[in-house]
Amino acid sequence: MLAAAVIITATCATGISPAARGFQKKESEVSPEARVLVRAAVASTGIILVRNSGDPSGQGPRPRGSVVIIRSNGIVATNHHVITNVRTGRLYDEILFSLAEDGDPLSSAARFRLAPVLINKEYDLALLAIRATAAGTPIAESTVFPAVEIADSRRIRLLDDLFVIGFPEMGGTSVTVNRGVVEGQDLLAKWIRTDARVIHGNSGGAAVNSEGKLVGIPTKVVADEQPVDKDGDGFPDDYRRYGAVGFLRPSYLLVEMLAKLDQTRPGQSSAIGQPEMVEPAELIAVHGVVKSSPDGKRIAGALVGLLPPGESNVTENTLLTWGSTNAQGEFKLNRPVPPGRYVLKAKALGHQPYTREIDIAASSAPALVVEMRAPNNR
């Protein structure tokens, strides 16, 4: 990792030119079928406008970020930071949005009022409901909005095509589409990395695959910025930006939030009172001991790791957390995990590979015991 890398979080407030990022034209062309499907996803993407009651008189709502419709009854998704005042930490008093294909998105005739219904601060996501027009006219229950289909983001692979749709500040009030690929995933921290351009204003928009289905919400950028010492005095005189990686929250998090919304407010498509808050998941430090079967001797130098359920191969993308045993055969995995079901794998010299599914339920759970067999044991 480069020590001078600068993490730009929250509002993704950075503008990175293609030249500065070392951007190169993609070798493969987008098929006509993919173009049609991505254009359909554009129709589900809009711009967020916000305003506080204490704003100066005459000051109208101002652009703040992007939003995507994920249910045809008017449920939309965006980033929590897009609808939050960074100075006060409170939600904006007035949250509006306009669709990409409704002409001028800053025109009051094209605006709708939004009300937050479910917020997940841990993953910087928010669900909102379309309540009324900008003029305050309630939306009829029969109204159907152009919703994007949500893909299973757990199935994406390295180098899959991605298209980031949104309203970056440098693009004015026009929707933009930027193409890139999946550069990697962090399954435990729940990020998808992409080289598609993600800058201020793209936050909360849509990242879709070549089928036009939602795979992620653009949320932040990590920029590689290196100091430049021009006069040789040991102090940086300037900084040079070499590239950046965009980070998306995977769409399966939205599926989980929608399920929670249905559970807490069944049959309701609009907000009532304050939005629900999703509490952060408890993280559990996984530890245990590795023994030889059937003699029970502890094994030093064994490698132990956790994979997502259903995975069998250990790769850079599937290995969530790992560790090795000490002289007493004890291990502690290097990253804590939330409660859930995992695949436990272990490998040790002179023993058969070990695989089984386990449930990790609470931080007070007992230490794991892994019993590995020698090749001649059945």
Side-chain angles (χ1 to χ4, degrees):
M1 180 179 293
L2 298 176
V6 177
I7 297 180
I8 303 174
T9 57
T11 56
C12 309
T14 180
I16 302 167
S17 68
R21 299 175 63 251
F23 180 83
Q24 294 179 349
K25 183 180 179 181
K26 307 297 177 186
E27 293 182 0
S28 61
E29 294 297 329
V30 181
S31 69
E33 295 80 5
R35 291 179 185 273
V36 171
L37 295 171
V38 173
R39 285 194 184 103
V42 171
S44 303
T45 310
I47 186 171
I48 288 273
L49 303 105
V50 297
R51 186 178 182 277
N52 277 325
S53 57
D55 288 347
S57 177
Q59 177 178 306
R62 55 195 179 279
R64 173 69 179 162
S66 303
V67 66
V68 57
I69 302 175
I70 57 175
R71 276 190 175 172
S72 59
N73 65 353
I75 298 297
V76 307
T78 188
N79 286 133
H80 175 248
H81 76 254
V82 169
I83 59 173
T84 303
N85 188 319
V86 294
R87 291 190 296 273
T88 65
R90 300 178 58 183
L91 299 178
Y92 284 98
D93 296 328
E94 189 175 11
I95 305 172
L96 303 165
F97 96 108
S98 178
L99 286 172
E101 297 189 346
D102 279 347
D104 180 6
L106 299 186
S107 167
S108 60
R111 296 178 192 166
F112 296 91
R113 292 186 180 274
L114 297 174
V117 291
L118 188 63
I119 290 174
N120 188 324
K121 290 184 179 180
E122 180 180 9
Y123 298 123
D124 193 12
L125 293 172
L127 300 184
L128 303 95
I130 301 174
R131 298 293 304 279
T133 65
T137 304
I139 299 297
E141 291 187 5
S142 59
T143 303
V144 176
F145 292 93
V148 68
E149 184 176 348
I150 301 178
D152 184 356
S153 55
R154 299 176 193 268
R155 294 182 175 273
I156 65 170
R157 294 292 181 263
L158 287 174
L159 302 181
D160 280 357
D161 282 335
L162 283 178
F163 301 84
V164 172
I165 307 170
F167 291 80
E169 188 176 84
M170 297 181 69
T173 58
S174 298
V175 68
T176 64
V177 179
N178 294 296
R179 185 185 175 201
V181 298
V182 175
E183 290 192 322
Q185 297 185 68
D186 186 333
L187 298 180
L188 193 55
K190 298 178 173 55
W191 288 112
I192 298 171
R193 298 190 296 272
T194 180
D195 66 340
R197 190 169 71 247
V198 178
I199 59 178
H200 180 74
N202 275 127
S203 292
V208 302
N209 59 20
S210 56
E211 296 178 342
K213 297 179 181 180
L214 187 72
V215 296
I217 300 294
T219 301
K220 74 172 184 179
V221 171
V222 174
D224 176 18
E225 194 170 74
Q226 302 294 316
V228 178
D229 181 9
K230 297 180 179 180
D231 54 14
D233 63 356
F235 295 93
D237 304 295
D238 198 359
Y239 289 88
R240 183 171 299 164
R241 187 165 292 169
Y242 290 94
V245 178
F247 283 73
L248 320 172
R249 285 300 185 189
S251 61
Y252 78 83
L253 294 174
L254 296 178
V255 175
E256 294 176 354
M257 292 177 70
L258 288 170
K260 181 174 178 62
L261 182 65
D262 292 338
Q263 182 181 14
T264 56
R265 292 174 177 173
Q268 297 177 5
S269 62
S270 60
I272 298 178
Q274 294 298 314
E276 299 284 340
M277 295 288 181
V278 178
E279 296 297 328
E282 176 188 18
L283 295 180
I284 300 167
V286 181
H287 63 102
V289 62
V290 179
K291 299 179 179 180
S292 180
S293 177
D295 58 22
K297 291 183 178 179
R298 299 196 175 194
I299 303 174
L303 298 176
V304 184
L306 292 182
L307 309 181
E311 291 286 352
S312 57
N313 296 322
V314 179
T315 68
E316 181 182 356
N317 286 323
T318 62
L319 185 60
L320 302 176
T321 179
W322 71 279
S324 60
T325 57
N326 58 20
Q328 288 75 44
E330 300 168 343
F331 67 88
K332 182 177 180 180
L333 303 188
N334 66 330
R335 299 175 70 184
V337 299
R341 192 162 185 83
Y342 298 90
V343 174
L344 174 67
K345 294 186 76 75
K347 182 179 180 181
L349 186 64
H351 292 78
Q352 297 178 12
Y354 178 97
T355 302
R356 73 180 171 100
E357 289 201 353
I358 62 171
D359 287 306
I360 297 176
S363 57
S364 59
L368 297 175
V369 177
V370 179
E371 294 187 348
M372 304 188 69
R373 295 180 179 274
N376 59 345
N377 289 338
R378 299 292 181 185

